[in-house]
Amino acid sequence: MSVDSYPETLESQHSDSEERSYREMFSMGWPQLVTCLWFALLFFYFGNVHIFYSDIWGHVSYGEWIVAHQSLPVYDPFLALADGVKSIDAAWLSQVLFAKVYASFGVRGLSHVFALTVFTSHILFWLAFYLKTGRAGISTLASFLLVVISSSRIAIIRPEIFGTLCVALMLVIMAWSEKYDVWNRTAKPGDDTQNSGKKAPLALLLALYLGIPLIFLAWANLHGSFVVGLAILGLQFLGRVLEVGWRTRSLVQVCSDPWVRCWLVVTELAVCGALLNPYHMDLFLNSLTFPRNPNLKDVLEWEPLEFRDAEGIWFCASWVLMLGLFRHSRTPIRTADMLRVGLLSLAVIVGVRMIGWFSVVFVYAMVPHLTNVIPRRELIVPVLNDNSKQPVSFWYRKTPLITAVCALIVWFGFAFSNIATPLFGGKPRPLDKIYSQGTPRKLTEFLKEHPPQGQVWNPQWWGDWLVWDGPAEMNVFMTTNAVHLTPPQVWRDYLGIARANRGWHAVAEKYAVTTFIVHKEKQVQLARQVRKLKGFKVVYEDDLSVVVSREPELIAAASQSEVQDAEKPADEKQEVQP
């Protein structure tokens, strides 16, 4: 080789090396492909969730009331039977957001807010898992476990979705901080230095000392679940204290540990941030005592865990998985993780509603053990890499073709979603596919045309919808959002009527009920009984509901409707029948 050609050879080698580096930079493997496919499916699913007919409409009504009056309600503004019971509106900011979204974008806007909020939360959960493992495939598997365990809670549109977003942000910061923890799984054996906190970058310190307090500032005004976040954060501090104390057997070392001091200060700042709410310390007390409200023991989602139900099955399966991972994993068990899993496990046993929060701390704790148990290079028979003669696992082989497929999956996942379809000239999602099938829309249309004047008895789960979509000033008996505000005697009377217990009619007379709205499928006995009431007449009935009343106006309207139906030709009557 001549001397003149030597520089060209070096330049050619440098060019080939640079080309390979760019190719490797923009190449993805099968784990990334599975991750893109998983999140495309999640985005499609969240965008197609129906809006349930229960408490979401009460929250929208609350938000509109707050905006209209420019103040927070002292008493429930929609339930006269709860008059005099002071209300602490722990979700006032979420309610205002719901009301603003509905005013600007309608019911489709509420669906989009749900989809984007929950999807973003799961992206952040995945990021937290990835920061703990560094493996996309394991993080996606953990995201799948999270969705499965919390499946009973994941499709409900309510202010709790903003609490989930806040805990996801907090876990990302906590997972980031573990990279600088001398007691974590990447610490070198024998590394007893106590100055790892000084090595943390400025961005992490800002996230800890400023970001987390701001998260709790928003969280305390969005949803009462902020106390769960404070428990997660406080147990991070306690777990660190126990770990350092057990290892050093020295109180001085515990007090001088930089991460002990860090988590103590961060927890204190988070409490201070949460105190910046309209109710201050009363909000803390209300959120802690709320689950002990005697009325909630009769509400399904606040009942103790039933191991034969779906939540109980997944809860038991989670504990079996955890014990199996602990048996085979060589990763140290973190004290803070076990404290959090233990506390939330007790909370689930007491109230099944807590399964969503349990799933978060459980998967977050199990991710390092999944990484240790599932090997990196023994999943599939190795093949040769294109750029070297060393064997590389097929599962971890990266190519530009997989990158292109990932890009297509992301694009199609967005383009065919209900959020993006109108942007590309498609038809918006029909309203019939946004409302859940159990929403009594026909019922409220009738009530708006013929509004009841006296006391109305209604199913609790329809109360918020009746307030929202029914006639103005209708005097409903119960709403989901006011169960905890209702006097215990009123709640027991409601249940007595709902179950058609002996003497239920006398109880209804005590409240001067003039109109009964009954769910035909869920209240079969009551639906049968109200048809037999003397002085009452069926004024409306459809596949979902039956309305009986003794108000002359409603009876006259029903009679007139029957006459009009009788006067119609037979073929016309057949056309209008469902």
Side-chain angles (χ1 to χ4, degrees):
M1 182 176 61
S2 63
V3 177
D4 295 336
S5 64
Y6 184 71
E8 296 179 359
T9 302
L10 290 179
E11 184 178 353
S12 176
Q13 292 177 352
H14 177 72
S15 176
D16 292 341
S17 176
E18 185 176 358
E19 181 180 353
R20 285 196 299 270
S21 64
Y22 279 116
R23 182 179 180 181
E24 293 175 357
M25 181 184 304
F26 294 102
S27 295
M28 294 184 180
W30 292 104
Q32 288 76 23
L33 179 64
V34 172
T35 300
C36 291
L37 181 61
W38 167 244
F39 280 108
L41 291 174
L42 277 186
F43 192 69
F44 178 81
Y45 170 72
F46 292 143
N48 284 277
V49 168
H50 295 118
I51 298 182
F52 199 54
Y53 49 76
S54 186
D55 53 344
I56 175 60
W57 302 111
H59 291 300
V60 178
S61 299
Y62 263 81
E64 289 187 339
W65 192 96
I66 293 171
V67 172
H69 293 80
Q70 293 296 303
S71 64
L72 299 181
V74 179
Y75 308 102
D76 190 288
F78 308 111
L79 194 67
L81 294 178
D83 190 24
V85 180
K86 288 190 176 181
S87 169
I88 292 182
D89 191 0
W92 71 271
L93 185 55
S94 298
Q95 293 163 350
V96 170
L97 290 174
F98 283 140
K100 291 289 188 181
V101 168
Y102 184 86
S104 301
F105 305 102
V107 67
R108 294 185 179 89
L110 295 177
S111 178
H112 296 343
V113 166
F114 168 81
L116 294 174
T117 302
V118 180
F119 182 75
T120 303
S121 299
H122 282 271
I123 289 286
L124 292 172
F125 283 134
W126 184 92
L127 178 58
F129 302 151
Y130 186 78
L131 287 173
K132 289 173 71 71
T133 65
R135 295 172 61 179
I138 297 296
S139 302
T140 305
L141 175 60
S143 177
F144 173 77
L145 289 176
L146 177 62
V147 171
V148 169
I149 297 172
S150 61
S151 57
S152 63
R153 305 289 308 166
I154 202 171
I156 302 177
I157 304 178
R158 53 176 42 158
E160 189 175 329
I161 63 175
F162 299 114
T164 304
L165 178 62
C166 290
V167 76
L169 286 168
M170 185 179 68
L171 289 183
V172 169
I173 298 174
M174 292 173 60
W176 184 13
S177 70
E178 290 187 9
K179 290 181 172 295
Y180 303 93
D181 187 339
V182 298
W183 304 115
N184 68 1
R185 60 184 178 85
T186 59
K188 297 180 180 179
D191 185 3
D192 294 333
T193 60
Q194 299 295 320
N195 60 353
S196 62
K198 298 179 181 178
K199 299 178 182 178
L202 178 61
L204 175 58
L205 296 179
L206 288 175
L208 287 168
Y209 293 112
L210 182 61
I212 288 182
L214 289 177
I215 290 173
F216 277 92
L217 170 61
W219 195 350
N221 293 280
L222 288 167
H223 191 247
S225 60
F226 74 95
V227 293
V228 178
L230 289 177
I232 293 174
L233 198 59
L235 292 177
Q236 180 77 5
F237 160 72
L238 180 59
R240 179 67 182 184
V241 169
L242 295 176
E243 285 181 349
V244 177
W246 179 261
R247 179 156 182 167
T248 62
R249 302 295 199 279
S250 171
L251 181 60
V252 175
Q253 292 290 336
V254 171
C255 296
S256 61
D257 182 82
W259 282 102
V260 169
R261 298 197 302 268
C262 171
W263 290 120
L264 175 61
V265 173
V266 169
T267 303
E268 292 174 339
L269 291 175
V271 172
C272 292
L275 283 171
L276 298 178
N277 66 81
Y279 306 100
H280 309 298
M281 185 57 71
D282 288 343
L283 181 64
F284 282 70
L285 299 176
N286 178 76
S287 299
L288 291 173
T289 59
F290 183 85
R292 291 190 285 176
N293 188 291
N295 295 349
L296 297 180
K297 67 180 181 180
D298 299 305
V299 180
L300 182 62
E301 63 182 15
W302 287 102
E303 291 182 351
L305 182 68
E306 291 281 348
F307 292 98
R308 60 185 177 181
D309 293 339
E311 295 88 353
I313 293 173
W314 287 120
F315 179 78
C316 294
S318 301
W319 270 84
V320 171
L321 174 63
M322 180 176 65
L323 296 177
L325 289 175
F326 287 168
R327 171 64 178 82
H328 298 284
S329 174
R330 296 182 180 181
T331 299
I333 300 174
R334 301 299 301 270
T335 305
D337 288 336
M338 292 312 302
L339 291 174
R340 287 190 286 257
V341 171
L343 177 64
L344 269 299
S345 295
L346 293 175
V348 172
I349 294 173
V350 174
V352 69
R353 177 172 178 156
M354 301 301 292
I355 189 71
W357 303 107
F358 165 80
S359 64
V360 170
V361 299
F362 172 80
V363 177
Y364 184 80
M366 294 301 108
V367 160
H369 302 283
L370 283 171
T371 306
N372 186 266
V373 169
I374 300 177
R376 181 179 288 272
R377 294 187 178 277
E378 297 179 2
L379 298 178
I380 301 179
V381 178
V383 297
L384 292 180
N385 192 4
D386 294 339
N387 300 324
S388 67
K389 295 182 179 181
Q390 297 179 354
V392 177
S393 172
F394 174 79
W395 175 254
Y396 292 98
R397 190 180 186 190
K398 297 181 179 181
T399 64
L401 177 60
I402 297 180
T403 304
V405 175
C406 289
L408 285 175
I409 290 174
V410 172
W411 168 250
F412 282 117
F414 172 74
F416 287 95
S417 66
N418 289 315
I419 297 177
T421 298
L423 300 178
F424 296 102
K427 294 182 179 180
R429 186 183 178 191
L431 292 180
D432 291 339
K433 295 185 178 180
I434 298 179
Y435 295 104
S436 62
Q437 293 183 353
T439 305
R441 299 172 63 194
K442 295 180 180 179
L443 169 64
T444 48
E445 289 177 4
F446 167 80
L447 294 176
K448 282 185 287 189
E449 294 177 0
H450 312 286
Q453 301 302 316
Q455 177 66 59
V456 175
W457 189 94
N458 61 277
Q460 158 252 321
W461 53 85
W462 278 350
D464 295 295
W465 172 260
L466 294 174
V467 169
W468 164 253
D469 195 53
E473 306 299 330
M474 185 172 70
N475 194 9
V476 298
F477 200 98
M478 190 62 60
T479 64
T480 300
N481 277 321
V483 169
H484 64 288
L485 298 176
T486 306
Q489 183 59 51
V490 176
W491 175 247
R492 287 193 295 269
D493 291 340
Y494 162 81
L495 292 177
I497 299 174
R499 297 165 181 171
N501 293 340
R502 179 177 297 181
W504 69 270
H505 183 240
V507 175
E509 289 289 340
K510 181 176 68 174
Y511 292 94
V513 175
T514 59
T515 302
F516 289 90
I517 299 173
V518 183
H519 194 294
K520 294 169 61 175
E521 294 181 0
K522 296 183 179 180
Q523 298 171 323
V524 178
Q525 182 65 20
L526 181 62
R528 185 182 301 113
Q529 294 290 332
V530 295
R531 297 176 188 269
K532 303 177 183 178
L533 289 177
K534 293 182 179 180
F536 285 78
K537 182 179 180 179
V538 175
V539 297
Y540 175 81
E541 185 172 4
D542 58 23
D543 294 338
L544 281 175
S545 61
V546 58
V547 181
V548 299
S549 179
R550 64 182 177 191
E551 291 188 14
E553 294 81 1
L554 290 178
I555 294 176
S559 301
Q560 184 179 3
S561 178
E562 292 175 359
V563 171
Q564 291 175 354
D565 289 341
E567 293 176 351
K568 289 180 180 179
D571 55 348
E572 185 178 351
K573 286 192 287 187
Q574 290 178 357
E575 290 179 359
V576 299
Q577 289 179 355

